[in-house]
């Protein structure tokens, strides 16, 4: 009788306050991730590293992140304690991120600024940062499945988290717009100082929201014994025998490729390919995330089921394909239209990311003792694939410099243009095709008792 009452309570919709507390828990990760993908390559090349060395730094971080997700996921499945892993990971992120953008500390200690020393130094701090990032991400993502069985509430939790991802990104670009606006970078020291302030302010903002999450969110294991039976752990082979696992993994990885690759090359594209003002490298991303935030909030009002998840993800993928074509063909004389394209990119990103994350919850269902492995393994594939994709693209960046030409008439097909336009559009196409083959079943799909928005 007590088990049935407990299961029924977990199938009920989650309250708005709990949704808010959970949603802000990934803010530190999100704001540092936005800085990582948007400005890391730009920062490293601006201070003198070659495109390949900059790509090596990013790849080292992505590999460390990918390996850490598997390790952390297994430990969480064995021992639980989501909030402890979340807090420890957040501390590591806050400590190491300032060193990634704070200048080469070992270079100053060794009095050597050779490219090898710089690359090793930045790669080391990038790896440490991504290990902490992985611990926070896996614990936060897998926690959803132990908070509730209700499929609509799970999507709402993912949607709220995605909405605050947009808040985090907007915070970063707001900070960047102010820093780039009030300071001029003429020397390497000036560049390092700019990004150091961006990093410090990002960490401060993120840590404030981590505190709110840790204070307001209850540990799911203390709420009920529903996740506490470590003797009933699910073997990895259980997931490997499910076709849906591979489908969800592919869709999730492709979605992350769309977001991360486009984010990494947007700043390069608006400055180098379109010849726009320096403020555009903060303004264009800000427009994207404002639109994503609005869409993510609106998605919280939808009563979700498998068919709607597929339909909304497909709509986002098709929208991104049109955006990719626009990016490939946009000449410098029409650069102002990049702001219009940014609106549709923001809408597409929200539709794809919310539904891709929610597909994980449908895959997990009630198999809660393997939820951290699922989140960790999918994140591993995401990190490795994104790292390799960016490494390959960035390796060819130096071999295709822009020749002198007229920005207003030329459509120069650079690696940046392909990275921002073609790669995300192709990934969206494949993701839509895979989504169409899925069979998604949504138990406990009771509608919300009251709207989330007043």
């Amino acid at each position: 009788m007590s088990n049935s009452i407990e299961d029924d309570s977990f199938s009920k919709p989650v309250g708005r306050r709990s949704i808010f507390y959970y949603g802000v828990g990934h803010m530190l990760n999100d704001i540092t991730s936005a800085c990582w993908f948007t400005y890391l390559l730009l920062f490293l090349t601006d201070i003198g590293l070659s495109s390949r060395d900059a790509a090596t730094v990013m790849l080292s971080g992505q590999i460390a992140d990918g390996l850490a997700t598997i390790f952390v996921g297994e430990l969480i499945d064995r021992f639980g304690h989501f909030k402890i892993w979340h807090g420890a990971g957040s501390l590591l992120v806050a400590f190491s991120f300032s060193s990634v953008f704070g200048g080469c500390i070992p270079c100053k200690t060794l009095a050597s600024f050779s490219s090898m020393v710089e690359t090793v130094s930045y790669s080391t701090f990038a790896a440490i940062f991504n290990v902490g990032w992985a611990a926070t991400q896996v614990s936060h993502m897998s926690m959803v499945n132990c908070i509730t069985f209700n499929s609509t509430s799970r999507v709402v939790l993912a949607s709220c988290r995605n909405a605050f991802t947009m808040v985090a990104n907007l915070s970063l670009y707001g900070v960047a717009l102010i820093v780039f606006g009030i300071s001029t970078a003429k020397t390497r020291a000036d560049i390092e100082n700019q990004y150091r302030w961006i990093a410090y302010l990002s960490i401060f903002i993120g840590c404030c929201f981590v505190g709110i999450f840790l204070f307001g969110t209850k540990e799911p294991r203390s709420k009920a014994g529903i996740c506490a039976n470590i003797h009933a752990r699910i073997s990895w082979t259980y997931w490997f025998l499910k076709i849906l696992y591979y489908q969800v993994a592919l869709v999730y990885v492709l979605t992350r490729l769309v977001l991360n690759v486009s984010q990494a090359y947007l700043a390069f594209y608006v400055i180098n390919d379109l010849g726009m003002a320096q403020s555009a490298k903060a303004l264009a991303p800000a427009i994207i995330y404002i639109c994503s935030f609005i869409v993510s909030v609106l998605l919280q009002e939808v009563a979700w089921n498998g068919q709607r998840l597929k339909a909304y993800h497909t709509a986002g993928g098709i929208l991104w394909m049109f955006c990719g074509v626009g990016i490939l063909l946009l000449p410098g004389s029409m650069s102002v239209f990049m702001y219009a394209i940014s609106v549709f990119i923001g809408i597409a990103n929200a539709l794809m990311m919310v539904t891709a994350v929610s597909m994980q919850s449908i895959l997990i269902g009630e198999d809660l003792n393997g939820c951290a492995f699922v989140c960790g393994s999918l994140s591993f594939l995401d990190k490795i694939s994104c790292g390799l994709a960016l490494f390959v693209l960035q390796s060819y960046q130096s071999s295709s410099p822009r020749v002198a030409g007229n920005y207003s008439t030329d459509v120069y097909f650079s690696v940046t243009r392909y990275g921002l336009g073609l790669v995300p559009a192709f990934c969206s196409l494949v993701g839509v095709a895979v989504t169409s083959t899925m069979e998604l079943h949504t138990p406990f799909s009771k509608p919300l008792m009251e709207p989330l928005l007043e």
Side-chain angles (χ1 to χ4, degrees):
M1 176 65 71
S2 62
N3 287 338
S4 63
I5 295 174
E6 182 178 274
D7 288 348
D8 183 65
S9 67
F10 270 81
S11 68
K12 291 180 179 179
V14 178
R16 284 179 290 184
R17 184 176 297 178
S18 297
I19 291 170
F20 169 79
Y21 285 141
Y22 172 82
V24 303
H26 210 249
M27 280 280 289
L28 177 61
N29 265 25
D30 289 330
I31 198 168
T32 53
S33 175
C35 191
W36 169 269
F37 282 108
T38 305
Y39 295 126
L40 179 67
L41 295 176
L42 193 62
F43 165 69
L44 294 175
T45 52
D46 281 351
I47 63 173
L49 265 68
S50 67
S51 295
R52 182 174 287 273
D53 287 342
T56 300
V57 174
M58 176 164 278
L59 181 61
S60 67
Q62 294 298 109
I63 291 175
D65 194 341
L67 295 175
T69 55
I70 295 292
F71 181 70
V72 171
E74 175 65 15
L75 291 179
I76 290 176
D77 277 339
R78 285 180 180 273
F79 305 110
H81 302 295
F82 297 97
K83 289 178 66 176
I84 292 177
W85 282 101
H86 186 283
S90 297
L91 286 175
L92 199 57
V93 167
F95 167 76
S96 59
F97 187 68
S98 59
S99 299
V100 175
F101 286 93
C104 183
I105 297 176
C107 295
K108 298 174 183 177
T109 304
L110 299 174
S112 172
F113 284 85
S114 67
S115 60
M116 184 183 72
V117 174
E118 285 189 307
T119 303
V120 171
S121 171
Y122 283 115
S123 297
T124 301
F125 283 111
I128 295 171
F129 160 67
N130 277 277
V131 168
W133 202 97
T136 304
Q137 183 201 32
V138 174
S139 58
H140 193 258
M141 288 182 65
S142 55
M143 187 184 294
V144 170
N145 305 290
C146 290
I147 291 176
T148 180
F149 283 157
N150 186 284
S151 61
T152 294
S153 288
R154 285 180 173 181
V155 178
V156 170
L157 287 166
S159 182
C160 185
R161 168 187 160 151
N162 195 60
F164 279 100
T165 296
M166 307 310 137
V167 172
N169 281 267
L170 287 172
S171 301
L172 170 72
Y173 297 126
V175 168
L177 196 60
I178 294 172
V179 171
F180 291 141
I182 65 177
S183 64
T184 303
K186 297 180 179 179
T187 65
R188 171 174 175 150
D190 293 337
I191 295 172
E192 290 180 346
N193 192 51
Q194 281 184 331
Y195 285 99
R196 186 182 297 113
W197 273 107
I198 292 173
Y200 289 159
L201 291 172
S202 299
I203 292 169
F204 174 76
I205 294 170
C207 286
C208 290
F209 284 96
V210 167
I212 293 173
F213 164 80
L214 294 176
F215 173 79
T217 304
K218 295 181 179 180
E219 176 68 44
R221 294 170 66 89
S222 64
K223 192 176 196 179
I226 200 160
C227 300
N229 186 6
I230 62 174
H231 300 293
R233 288 184 62 252
I234 297 173
S235 171
W236 293 7
T237 56
Y238 170 80
W239 302 108
F240 294 151
L241 294 176
K242 300 184 72 155
I243 295 177
L244 186 60
Y245 174 83
Y246 298 99
Q247 293 172 318
V248 171
L250 190 54
V251 169
Y252 179 76
V253 169
L254 290 169
T255 301
R256 294 301 305 181
L257 276 170
V258 169
L259 271 66
N260 292 339
V261 173
S262 63
Q263 189 174 22
Y265 282 102
L266 181 60
F268 285 105
Y269 176 72
V270 297
I271 301 299
N272 298 338
D273 287 64
L274 298 182
M276 299 176 74
Q278 289 292 319
S279 59
K281 65 184 180 183
L283 187 55
I287 292 173
I288 290 175
Y289 287 104
I290 287 172
C291 297
S292 289
F293 172 77
I294 294 172
V295 173
S296 295
V297 171
L298 293 177
L299 290 177
Q300 296 180 31
E301 295 301 300
V302 179
W304 290 95
N305 55 44
Q307 291 303 312
R308 285 184 178 173
L309 282 177
K310 292 170 63 175
Y312 279 68
H313 188 88
T314 300
I318 293 174
L319 194 56
W320 231 117
M321 285 183 250
F322 283 108
C323 292
V325 173
I327 290 168
L328 282 172
L329 302 179
L330 186 66
S333 60
M334 302 175 66
S335 60
V336 68
F337 283 97
M338 186 59 209
Y339 294 123
I341 294 175
S342 297
V343 171
F344 294 105
I345 290 176
I347 296 171
N349 284 353
L351 290 173
M352 295 177 69
M353 195 64 220
V354 169
T355 51
V357 172
S358 301
M359 288 175 187
Q360 293 185 42
S361 295
I362 291 180
L363 168 65
I364 293 168
E366 298 179 46
D367 299 324
L368 302 179
N369 289 312
C371 60
F373 168 75
V374 172
C375 296
S377 61
L378 267 58
S379 184
F380 168 79
L381 297 173
D382 151 36
K383 305 307 177 186
I384 298 300
S385 61
C386 287
L388 291 174
L390 291 172
F391 180 81
V392 171
L393 288 169
Q394 193 66 11
S395 295
Y396 284 101
Q397 185 81 309
S398 60
S399 64
S400 58
R402 171 147 197 180
V403 296
N406 188 345
Y407 275 113
S408 57
T409 58
D410 289 352
V411 178
Y412 177 65
F413 288 97
S414 63
V415 170
T416 299
R417 193 178 285 266
Y418 284 125
L420 182 61
L422 184 60
V423 173
F426 177 75
C427 292
S428 299
L429 174 62
V430 178
V432 168
V434 175
T435 300
S436 66
T437 66
M438 286 183 176
E439 293 185 8
L440 299 176
H441 303 288
T442 53
F444 299 109
S445 56
K446 299 176 182 178
L448 295 175
M449 300 301 294
E450 56 180 342
L452 291 168
L453 303 176
E454 294 179 343

